[in-house]
Amino acid sequence: MDTLTIAGQQFQSRLMLGTGKYRDFEVMKEALEASGTEIVTVSIRRVEVGAAGHVGILDALDLSRYQLLPNTAGCKTAEEAVRVARLARALTGTSWVKLEVIPDAAFLMPDPIGTYEAAKVLCEEGFVVLPYMPADAVLAKRLQEVGCATVMPLGSPIGSGQGIQNRASIEVILKSVTAPVVVDAGLGVPSEAAQALEMGASSVLVNTAIAEARDPVRMAAAFRDAVKAGREAHLAGRMPVRENASPSSPVQGVVRLMNPEVPV
Amino acid sequence: MDTLTIAGQQFQSRLMLGTGKYRDFEVMKEALEASGTEIVTVSIRRVEVGAAGHVGILDALDLSRYQLLPNTAGCKTAEEAVRVARLARALTGTSWVKLEVIPDAAFLMPDPIGTYEAAKVLCEEGFVVLPYMPADAVLAKRLQEVGCATVMPLGSPIGSGQGIQNRASIEVILKSVTAPVVVDAGLGVPSEAAQALEMGASSVLVNTAIAEARDPVRMAAAFRDAVKAGREAHLAGRMPVRENASPSSPVQGVVRLMNPEVPV
Amino acid sequence: MDTLTIAGQQFQSRLMLGTGKYRDFEVMKEALEASGTEIVTVSIRRVEVGAAGHVGILDALDLSRYQLLPNTAGCKTAEEAVRVARLARALTGTSWVKLEVIPDAAFLMPDPIGTYEAAKVLCEEGFVVLPYMPADAVLAKRLQEVGCATVMPLGSPIGSGQGIQNRASIEVILKSVTAPVVVDAGLGVPSEAAQALEMGASSVLVNTAIAEARDPVRMAAAFRDAVKAGREAHLAGRMPVRENASPSSPVQGVVRLMNPEVPV
Amino acid sequence: MDTLTIAGQQFQSRLMLGTGKYRDFEVMKEALEASGTEIVTVSIRRVEVGAAGHVGILDALDLSRYQLLPNTAGCKTAEEAVRVARLARALTGTSWVKLEVIPDAAFLMPDPIGTYEAAKVLCEEGFVVLPYMPADAVLAKRLQEVGCATVMPLGSPIGSGQGIQNRASIEVILKSVTAPVVVDAGLGVPSEAAQALEMGASSVLVNTAIAEARDPVRMAAAFRDAVKAGREAHLAGRMPVRENASPSSPVQGVVRLMNPEVPV
């Protein structure tokens, strides 16, 4: 049975979901259900400050079904992220944390230095750290070395829906680390999730693409199927890419129709 | 219920399969089964000349389950294709035909002129014509006008596995015709099939990507799921693509952690 | 000396220019000058009907310096295009014609069937025919066979500035014909013109990218340099594309710094 | 006059060149000459250890014409890079250094953490630091903040010739820093250099694409022209990219040819 293992825990689903931007909790819960996800991320900072859409979210989630993955969204420095991670553990009881250190609200790009520093501290404190990061192979290797449970390179800017814009960089990450690679941020449609899995990524994390779809629940189911398809395709072993055409049937067998008896 | 309608006939599956290049008929049959396909194409010319891998293929297919789609692979001119189509109807009893007019064995690119001429003749003779064609919007419209049941633009050269290399051209086709658009040729992995459906294609035809996978049956199932995912995503309505990042949660709710009482 | 030969005539420049969309004739003339172009296309239909921006254009061009290339823009059928080409010859004295058969004003895509039919007629009547066409290798070969002087596949839709969206198809054209391949339509910036030449195209035709630049004259000069660069690069023979990194210097020569005497 | 300013020094050329991989010094010198470059990078480590192709290289360069840019290629850690930079200053008299910290010889990807640490030390010691780096906007901003003179994101892996594979990431860098952005590594043909300049990069650094061309001197001249074209295009202001076609001449002026007098 093909399963995803993170920090010794096994999952059937390779699709992680965010909880932001949903119209209401009902739609969110149905989308989570339809997606088949087993790992759900929640912004603890926003829970803590009572931000719109985050009040009551922990109650709205059936935590017997999902591995909760608190995240440090909104943290601009390593120090803030470490504090928020500790707060998350205190509030939720889980030591899993999706580490986000994002200094700049305009482009929402992760800080490699701050992420690395916070990851070192949190790993030492026994957290299960899943760091959001730029698509940078050396950073991925370093984060693995300090004990991160996964690496989570971005496909393109958060919430942009541009898909995988840095495929070449992610391919080098896939060759550089043994930890599960989770493509996080930027995916806009299910085919892009399938593409990540086909390349060899272990999982993807999706939020906006589902929450902002016209029909989020239907889209969640589509992502579920696409992630399964991508993973199965990876295991099935793809055909080679060829520069030129190759006929679907042996050309040598093709001769001119000669027989005047054939009723054509 | 979302169904694909071609020439008045309804299908649940949007994945058409070819029958070339399989190791043997057993693997082929299992792959067809796993794919959920309902439309299967067979090279009549190769059946007729007894080419390797084509002897007995019509017997190997359970034609009570599949709409047979004889194709004119190997025909270099409109005249040849018309003759082979008539032969196919005589041999198989179906008037469906996948029209291929391919003058050059090196690149296997379809001839727009010959395809158009043969399509006119065959449509007038009552065939259900599904023409393989370059990704050319005006040609697509013309083929629709002479009565073709679908149009089948290529994603990239046959058997190349390059995926959809002419996305912009296929998008114009999708805006130019009302007939079902079937992306045919070039798909290498399931994500590329999903992408075609997400764009609005009605169906895809796959052969080499399944037959040449390390595990063809597993790959067939992956294509089945990806096609379903792509279609559902199309119906669910994708998020917009944005040039810049957009936070997953409202930024205005993010304030500094102030409360010294919070146990961090 | 590397020259472009079309219909027995030799050119130093590989950049053809259109004359539409300029603010006024002065800017147009300066842009033509800055571009170094030797072949200039003008819409004869619009000249004939006295359309805005086309009155007096033939007088505005110094025809002793440029090979005039009348085009059949605005023609929706082969018949119209043939009539307009004859009119152009009568009005201008040149038998060169850029053949455009474009049935649909929404997407401005060329009609392969109408283009082919008109090309046959015009070649028989002794015109030097440069047909605008979809990026279709078999059509290119057929147009060459009926006597066209070049083939002019589109890079992307006219005036879109999307660049070369169908690179794979143009590469097959380049392998399929011996006539000069001129990438026409869709180029938005000089790098895209250089790319066409690097791939092996003999020339490019540019209009909107120069006429709609903030500074058309400066942009014209940039295209001149880029076309030259692309051609020279093609002749210089590019490095291979590699899947992985390759150090700029031999790795075997890299040893640890050992000498404690070195003043570091 | 448009000039590139780095650390208060002005340059006419926006093309930096490497010195590795050339057949011999003669070809290298001719290529440098043909390229018009004013900034030339040399691996000091390889000079120091007497690696093949690096013995005598400093003598082979006319340093009255070029700003020498010693680089720390071959250094795997910040400490090594700092030592080699100091050595370079001692050997050459220049305080300019292209900082490379590359732990892994397989993929030759730069280490963001080590690069940042070394940059801090070297900037404090008064070096003019041009750091090679992953295409990471936050890192770029941090390197600018510690005093780097430029940032040098990679387009794709060193020596791969894949061109600009992470365009979206480089665009965010261009919006995030005011320091000159030099696209370094991965460029394979001049069009890719032009593209970098068109996007707004201030300069590019090229080595393998010239040294491994069939005719390096001719390719060097092509890069010179392409870089100029790209820069001029950037200053000239490109046309917008449009989703759909846009006619080169006003459509409203196009009426049917009605006049039976017209001699067509």
Side-chain angles (χ1 to χ4, degrees):
Chain A
M1 180 79 204
D2 173 55
T3 55
L4 168 64
T5 305
I6 300 177
Q9 221 170 304
Q10 295 204 323
F11 302 93
Q12 308 305 314
S13 167
R14 290 171 179 277
L15 176 58
M16 305 183 185
L17 249 63
T19 52
K21 294 185 172 178
Y22 282 95
R23 197 158 53 239
D24 54 43
F25 286 163
E26 271 321 296
V27 173
M28 181 192 81
K29 286 200 287 188
E30 281 180 59
L32 292 178
E33 173 82 28
S35 74
T37 189
E38 296 169 273
I39 302 178
V40 175
T41 187
V42 170
S43 167
I44 285 303
R45 172 145 236 179
R46 288 160 185 152
V47 169
E48 198 260 340
V49 300
H54 290 84
V55 178
I57 194 168
L58 291 180
D59 300 321
L61 291 171
D62 178 354
L63 295 180
S64 67
R65 299 181 52 189
Y66 304 117
Q67 167 66 49
L68 184 68
L69 178 60
N71 69 56
T72 65
C75 294
K76 290 175 188 295
T77 64
E79 294 68 33
E80 279 185 281
V82 168
R83 287 172 60 211
V84 169
R86 290 173 186 152
L87 169 66
R89 183 153 64 176
L91 282 176
T92 67
T94 182
S95 57
W96 286 46
V97 64
K98 180 176 172 230
L99 174 61
E100 299 187 21
V101 180
I102 299 181
D104 175 17
F107 300 110
L108 293 173
M109 288 299 192
D111 176 10
I113 312 295
T115 302
Y116 181 66
E117 286 168 5
K120 277 195 294 192
V121 172
L122 293 172
C123 288
E124 275 169 21
E125 296 185 5
F127 282 88
V128 174
V129 181
L130 295 81
Y132 176 57
M133 57 174 288
D136 174 333
V138 177
L139 181 63
K141 211 167 168 184
R142 279 178 166 272
L143 288 168
Q144 172 177 287
E145 283 164 5
V146 300
C148 288
T150 67
V151 292
M152 303 185 82
L154 61 88
S156 54
I158 290 181
S160 71
Q162 293 176 12
I164 300 180
Q165 290 289 329
N166 41 23
R167 179 178 179 125
S169 300
I170 290 179
E171 283 172 348
V172 181
I173 293 176
L174 288 165
K175 292 175 187 161
S176 301
V177 297
T178 54
V181 174
V182 185
V183 174
D184 178 13
L187 302 183
V189 274
S191 61
E192 295 158 358
Q195 185 193 1
L197 277 285
E198 286 164 356
M199 288 164 62
S202 293
S203 175
V204 292
L205 192 152
V206 177
N207 187 352
T208 307
I210 293 175
E212 286 197 355
R214 200 172 51 229
D215 182 341
V217 179
R218 191 167 204 170
M219 189 60 90
F223 268 96
R224 177 200 60 209
D225 289 343
V227 165
K228 187 174 155 223
R231 176 62 183 177
E232 287 298 304
H234 180 70
L235 296 172
R238 69 160 294 159
M239 65 174 287
V241 177
R242 297 189 179 92
E243 200 187 333
N244 289 327
S246 164
S248 297
S249 295
V251 177
Q252 51 272 41
V254 181
V255 296
R256 298 267 144 187
L257 279 173
M258 286 297 173
N259 190 339
E261 259 53 54
V262 173
V264 287
Chain B
M1 180 78 203
D2 173 54
T3 55
L4 168 64
T5 304
I6 299 177
Q9 221 170 303
Q10 295 204 322
F11 301 93
Q12 308 305 315
S13 167
R14 291 171 178 275
L15 176 58
M16 304 183 186
L17 250 63
T19 52
K21 295 186 172 178
Y22 283 95
R23 196 159 54 240
D24 55 43
F25 286 163
E26 271 321 295
V27 173
M28 181 193 80
K29 286 200 285 188
E30 281 179 59
L32 292 178
E33 173 82 28
S35 75
T37 189
E38 296 170 276
I39 302 178
V40 175
T41 190
V42 170
S43 167
I44 285 302
R45 172 145 237 179
R46 287 159 187 155
V47 170
E48 198 261 339
V49 300
H54 290 85
V55 178
I57 192 168
L58 291 180
D59 299 322
L61 291 170
D62 178 354
L63 294 179
S64 68
R65 301 180 51 189
Y66 304 117
Q67 167 66 50
L68 184 68
L69 178 60
N71 69 57
T72 65
C75 294
K76 291 175 186 295
T77 66
E79 295 68 32
E80 279 185 281
V82 168
R83 287 172 62 210
V84 170
R86 289 175 188 149
L87 170 65
R89 182 154 65 176
L91 283 176
T92 67
T94 182
S95 58
W96 286 47
V97 64
K98 180 174 172 231
L99 174 60
E100 299 187 22
V101 181
I102 299 180
D104 176 17
F107 301 111
L108 294 174
M109 287 299 191
D111 176 10
I113 312 295
T115 302
Y116 180 66
E117 288 168 3
K120 275 196 293 191
V121 173
L122 293 173
C123 288
E124 275 169 22
E125 295 185 5
F127 282 87
V128 174
V129 182
L130 294 79
Y132 176 57
M133 57 174 288
D136 173 334
V138 177
L139 181 63
K141 211 168 168 184
R142 279 177 165 273
L143 289 169
Q144 173 177 285
E145 282 164 6
V146 301
C148 288
T150 66
V151 292
M152 303 184 82
L154 62 88
S156 56
I158 291 181
S160 72
Q162 293 177 13
I164 300 180
Q165 289 289 330
N166 42 23
R167 180 181 177 124
S169 300
I170 290 178
E171 283 173 347
V172 181
I173 293 177
L174 289 164
K175 292 175 187 163
S176 300
V177 298
T178 54
V181 174
V182 185
V183 175
D184 178 15
L187 302 183
V189 274
S191 61
E192 295 158 358
Q195 185 194 1
L197 277 286
E198 286 164 357
M199 287 164 64
S202 293
S203 176
V204 292
L205 192 150
V206 176
N207 187 352
T208 306
I210 293 175
E212 286 196 357
R214 197 173 52 229
D215 181 341
V217 179
R218 191 169 204 168
M219 188 59 90
F223 268 95
R224 178 199 60 208
D225 289 343
V227 165
K228 188 175 156 223
R231 176 63 181 176
E232 287 298 304
H234 180 71
L235 297 173
R238 70 161 291 160
M239 65 172 287
V241 177
R242 297 190 178 91
E243 201 187 331
N244 289 326
S246 165
S248 297
S249 294
V251 178
Q252 50 272 40
V254 181
V255 296
R256 298 268 145 186
L257 280 172
M258 287 296 173
N259 191 338
E261 258 56 53
V262 173
V264 288
Chain C
M1 180 77 201
D2 173 55
T3 56
L4 168 65
T5 305
I6 299 177
Q9 221 170 304
Q10 295 204 321
F11 301 93
Q12 309 306 315
S13 167
R14 291 171 178 275
L15 175 58
M16 305 184 185
L17 248 63
T19 52
K21 295 185 171 178
Y22 282 95
R23 197 160 53 240
D24 54 42
F25 286 161
E26 271 321 296
V27 173
M28 181 192 80
K29 286 199 286 187
E30 281 179 60
L32 292 177
E33 173 82 27
S35 75
T37 188
E38 296 169 275
I39 303 178
V40 175
T41 189
V42 170
S43 167
I44 285 301
R45 171 145 237 178
R46 288 161 186 151
V47 169
E48 198 261 337
V49 302
H54 291 85
V55 179
I57 193 167
L58 291 179
D59 299 322
L61 291 170
D62 178 354
L63 294 179
S64 68
R65 301 181 51 189
Y66 304 118
Q67 167 66 50
L68 185 68
L69 177 61
N71 69 57
T72 65
C75 294
K76 290 175 187 294
T77 65
E79 295 69 32
E80 279 185 279
V82 167
R83 287 173 60 211
V84 169
R86 290 174 187 150
L87 171 64
R89 182 153 65 175
L91 283 176
T92 66
T94 183
S95 58
W96 285 47
V97 63
K98 179 173 173 232
L99 175 60
E100 299 188 22
V101 181
I102 299 180
D104 176 18
F107 300 111
L108 293 174
M109 287 298 192
D111 177 10
I113 312 295
T115 301
Y116 180 65
E117 287 168 5
K120 276 195 293 191
V121 173
L122 293 172
C123 288
E124 275 169 23
E125 296 185 6
F127 282 88
V128 174
V129 182
L130 295 80
Y132 176 57
M133 57 173 291
D136 173 334
V138 177
L139 182 62
K141 210 167 168 183
R142 279 177 165 273
L143 289 169
Q144 173 177 285
E145 282 163 6
V146 300
C148 287
T150 67
V151 293
M152 303 183 82
L154 62 90
S156 55
I158 292 181
S160 72
Q162 294 176 14
I164 299 180
Q165 289 288 330
N166 42 23
R167 179 180 177 124
S169 300
I170 290 178
E171 283 173 347
V172 181
I173 293 176
L174 288 165
K175 292 176 187 163
S176 301
V177 298
T178 54
V181 175
V182 185
V183 175
D184 178 16
L187 303 183
V189 275
S191 61
E192 295 158 358
Q195 186 193 1
L197 277 286
E198 286 164 357
M199 287 164 63
S202 292
S203 175
V204 293
L205 192 150
V206 177
N207 187 352
T208 307
I210 293 175
E212 286 197 357
R214 199 173 51 228
D215 182 341
V217 179
R218 191 168 204 170
M219 188 60 90
F223 268 95
R224 177 199 61 208
D225 289 343
V227 165
K228 187 175 156 224
R231 176 63 181 176
E232 287 298 304
H234 179 70
L235 297 173
R238 68 161 291 160
M239 64 173 286
V241 177
R242 298 191 177 91
E243 201 187 332
N244 289 328
S246 165
S248 297
S249 295
V251 178
Q252 50 272 39
V254 181
V255 297
R256 298 269 144 187
L257 280 173
M258 288 294 174
N259 190 340
E261 259 54 52
V262 173
V264 289
Chain D
M1 181 76 203
D2 173 54
T3 54
L4 168 64
T5 306
I6 299 177
Q9 221 171 303
Q10 294 205 322
F11 302 93
Q12 309 305 316
S13 167
R14 291 171 178 277
L15 175 58
M16 304 182 186
L17 249 64
T19 52
K21 294 185 173 179
Y22 282 95
R23 197 158 54 238
D24 54 43
F25 286 162
E26 271 321 296
V27 173
M28 180 192 81
K29 287 199 285 187
E30 282 179 60
L32 292 178
E33 173 82 28
S35 75
T37 189
E38 296 170 274
I39 302 178
V40 175
T41 188
V42 170
S43 168
I44 285 302
R45 172 146 236 178
R46 288 160 186 151
V47 169
E48 197 261 338
V49 301
H54 290 85
V55 179
I57 193 167
L58 291 180
D59 300 321
L61 291 170
D62 177 355
L63 295 179
S64 67
R65 302 180 50 188
Y66 304 118
Q67 167 65 50
L68 184 69
L69 178 60
N71 69 57
T72 65
C75 293
K76 292 176 186 294
T77 65
E79 294 68 32
E80 278 185 281
V82 168
R83 288 173 60 210
V84 169
R86 290 174 186 149
L87 169 66
R89 183 154 64 177
L91 283 176
T92 67
T94 182
S95 57
W96 286 47
V97 64
K98 180 175 174 233
L99 174 60
E100 300 187 21
V101 180
I102 299 181
D104 176 18
F107 300 111
L108 293 173
M109 289 299 192
D111 176 10
I113 312 295
T115 302
Y116 180 66
E117 287 168 5
K120 276 195 294 191
V121 173
L122 294 172
C123 287
E124 274 169 23
E125 297 186 5
F127 282 88
V128 174
V129 181
L130 295 80
Y132 176 57
M133 56 174 290
D136 173 333
V138 177
L139 181 63
K141 211 168 168 183
R142 278 177 166 273
L143 288 168
Q144 172 177 285
E145 283 164 5
V146 300
C148 289
T150 67
V151 293
M152 304 185 83
L154 61 89
S156 54
I158 291 181
S160 71
Q162 294 176 13
I164 300 180
Q165 289 288 329
N166 42 22
R167 180 180 176 124
S169 300
I170 290 178
E171 283 174 345
V172 181
I173 293 177
L174 288 164
K175 293 175 186 162
S176 301
V177 297
T178 54
V181 174
V182 185
V183 174
D184 178 16
L187 302 183
V189 274
S191 62
E192 295 157 358
Q195 185 193 2
L197 277 286
E198 287 165 356
M199 288 165 64
S202 294
S203 175
V204 292
L205 192 151
V206 176
N207 187 351
T208 307
I210 293 175
E212 286 197 357
R214 200 172 50 227
D215 182 340
V217 179
R218 191 167 204 170
M219 188 60 90
F223 268 96
R224 178 200 59 208
D225 289 343
V227 165
K228 187 174 156 223
R231 176 62 182 177
E232 287 298 304
H234 180 71
L235 296 173
R238 68 161 292 159
M239 64 173 287
V241 177
R242 298 191 177 91
E243 200 187 334
N244 289 327
S246 165
S248 297
S249 295
V251 178
Q252 51 272 38
V254 180
V255 298
R256 298 268 143 189
L257 280 171
M258 287 297 174
N259 191 338
E261 260 55 54
V262 173
V264 287

